Amino acid sequence: MSKESVITEHIEITPGVLGGKPRIAGHRIAVAHIAEMYLRMGISIEEIAGKYDLPLASVHAAMTYYYDRREEIDRRTAESRAIVEELKRNSSPSPLQEKLRAIRGE
């Protein structure tokens, strides 16, 4: 079995699900999320699999997929974060945020 067939067994891309981002097959957990937990948060592959009740092979496949397409996935993640930040800057505070500010005396 080739590496590509193993990965496609564990990773899927479906238009309309997670914005078409690659994800663990049968789950709504993005490859980028797995990579962030492992690389940036220091959570082990085994812990990630256990936390989300995923097959260990699926988490390894997600990391393989990420490493094969790292530049593209990192670019899309940065673009998504930039959009969120822009929306935060241009939106009015929620009623809860306003109440918290009033309590703090801001």
Side-chain angles (χ1 to χ4, degrees):
M1 184 179 284
S2 74
K3 178 178 86 167
E4 222 28 65
S5 64
V6 169
I7 289 175
T8 57
E9 178 183 335
H10 295 282
I11 305 300
E12 58 189 17
I13 298 171
T14 308
V17 178
L18 291 181
K21 294 175 184 170
R23 61 189 171 86
I24 302 287
H27 299 272
R28 294 182 58 86
I29 302 171
V31 167
H33 189 176
I34 298 290
E36 184 164 330
M37 286 188 287
Y38 179 68
L39 297 172
R40 293 198 177 105
M41 299 169 72
I43 302 172
S44 74
I45 298 288
E46 292 79 9
E47 288 176 295
I48 295 168
K51 180 176 182 172
Y52 293 99
D53 196 28
L54 299 169
L56 196 54
S58 293
V59 181
H60 280 285
M63 289 308 302
T64 299
Y65 188 94
Y66 171 77
Y67 285 127
D68 284 348
R69 296 157 181 86
R70 185 177 203 157
E71 187 175 300
E72 174 192 348
I73 292 171
D74 287 349
R75 179 185 50 76
R76 286 183 75 182
T77 299
E79 288 170 356
S80 293
R81 286 187 175 142
I83 290 168
V84 168
E85 289 304 313
E86 183 68 23
L87 289 171
K88 283 180 182 179
R89 281 192 296 277
N90 294 328
S91 67
S92 302
S94 72
L96 176 60
Q97 288 171 319
E98 289 178 358
K99 287 180 183 178
L100 289 171
R101 286 181 182 159
I103 290 170
R104 287 187 240 150
E106 293 176 1

